[in-house]
Amino acid sequence: MSSDTATTDRNVTARSDRARAWLVLLLAGAFEVGYALSVGGSQGFTVLSWSLVAVVFFLLTLFALSLALRTIDVGIGYAVWAGIGAIGAALLGPVFFGETLTPVKAFWLTVIIVGVVWLKLSDRPRTNADRAACPPLTTTGPLADGYGSDAAGEQTESTPR
């Protein structure tokens, strides 16, 4: 396999992984809407059926969000996830709970939607220059494996406090 083919295959795989992560993030957002609506229906977790549904949606949304955040930056992913939840709850609240959706609320929901779309468009894969400028955290230190290094750089065993 040539170098160019290997690079192309990696680029296609990276794009595919990013697309999959965004789809999982959208799913997490849908679960977040289900969670928000079921919490409303639970009336402060006093209605058992709605409360159980809320717990299921809570676990699903956190699981899907954690999968998406493996690939998507935390700040962008969390903002999109929260935005989807807020928009969905605001749009479906009137359907399920008789809440009102005023023109002012609709305007600000539109602002949130534009912001979420803008965040998606601003997300891009990290380049080699990005990686060089901001290398990943090292796995050395007292929290990594029970070993750290002293001022001279020598490996030392950390003692629990």
Side-chain angles (χ1 to χ4, degrees), residues 99-156:
E99 298 171 355
T100 59
L101 182 61
T102 65
V104 173
K105 288 180 185 178
F107 169 77
W108 288 111
L109 287 172
T110 303
V111 171
I112 293 172
I113 292 169
V114 169
V116 166
V117 170
W118 203 276
L119 282 171
K120 165 57 180 117
L121 295 175
S122 72
D123 184 42
R124 61 179 172 77
R126 291 181 61 180
T127 64
N128 287 337
D130 292 339
R131 287 185 190 93
C134 184
L137 297 174
T138 62
T139 57
T140 61
L143 297 178
D145 58 359
Y147 292 89
S149 57
D150 61 14
E154 296 293 323
Q155 194 80 354
T156 62

Side-chain angles (χ1 to χ4, degrees), residues 77-92:
Y78 183 79
V80 169
W81 172 77
I84 292 170
I87 291 163
L91 292 177
L92 293 175

